[in-house]
Amino acid sequence: MTKKVLIVAENFPPNGVTSSRRPGEMAKYLPNFGWTPIVITSKWRPDNCNYDPSIVPNIQEDLVKYETESSKPHAFQKLTEQVIRVLQPQRHPYSRLKSTQKKIEYVLKNEKIDAIWVTVPPFNLLEATSIIASKKKIPWIADFRDAWQFAPNQFVRLTMASRLKYERELLMSAAAITTVSTGFAETLQKRHNRLIQTIPHGFDPELNLNTSNEYPEIFNIVFTGGAVLGKPNFRPLLDAIGKLIQDGKIIEEKIRIDFFGAGNSVALARMFENHKYANLVKDYGPIPRIKAIENQRKAAILLAAGHPGAKGVITSKIFEYITAGRPILSIPKDNDCIDELLEKTNCGVSCTTTEEIKIAVLELYKKWESGELSNIPSSEQVLLYSSHARAKELANLLNEVTGLGK
């Protein structure tokens, strides 16, 4: 029996952003477990996104996608959008909500859908899904890649109560709720007083199981992706490196911090402004995901950002990092899921203070200098974090909420 799941996601391949990977990899691997995905997403083109077909390689060519496309709004639509943004910010952008809702209605008229999986943010996709799913009596699962925890500005702070009320009302009809970390699960469980299931991010095994045999010629510390979200601060790393250079412990010409990712220039300029060793920081800008993977494997060590105080925040990149065969340095300690993952996999260390970072960097530098720098976890350990395994978890949940079994 063919079982079909409708995946609703704002970002999806070939949009080369991190948030495209989770729905893209679920769509890629769900057929292995008896579920045929049909996708609703925005129409992504080279002119409207960081276009990167390699973001999820070898995704099925015959994948059925229904794409929404923004048209130029007329005056009344612009006015409506602004009114909604002020009075009902939880529904903003309203045009996306309505276009997605219409597309879901269209799909349900033309396809036999057994379940719906919607991944957020943007949070108004919950409304686009829940109303029509409830009306058609189709079980739906709400997946949270992020959750409201901190207000980024005063307007969000003032409107947080209405945002959370909106979320609670919409989720009452959800057959299940999933999220990416135990921290988020605890937050959502308290908020909604119901079981929240954790299906963490994963890595695509097609991209990551083969590590590089090339030994790094320079002690390069590599960060891939955006260095903006959560406002990470890596200045203590450069402070630590500077002190090690001044103490004669490492050679300046043999160390470098490399950033690969779109939109990092302003943040890096601010982060390392007027630093004596700012010349050691190199910003290479945006590159395709496959190139990011290659640079991860060629690195001496990999740099990650911790987010202390933001319970449950863990990006899919960290799972990609653990398969690269290189030690991970996370700054600062998050005392949460990232620290736990690095300890569990023995793939790296978290540091906060300049002194802690100095000790960690020097130890790794000495290993690199002696030709002994390696950190390749076992295949069995790595496979526990594959998106193939995550898709199996989602397929099992879909079987459960639909009663369709295997």
Side-chain angles (χ1 to χ4, degrees), residues 215-231:
Y215 198 77
E217 294 180 0
I218 190 169
F219 189 76
N220 59 330
I221 302 168
V222 169
F223 180 96
T224 62
V228 178
L229 190 64
K231 297 182 179 178

Side-chain angles (χ1 to χ4, degrees), residues 55 57 70 119 125 140 158 177 180 222 225 232 248 260 310 323 355 359:
I55 188 74
S70 300
T119 182
L125 292 185
W140 68 285
L158 292 172
I177 304 170
V180 300
V222 169
F260 299 90
T323 69
E355 190 60 33
I359 293 169

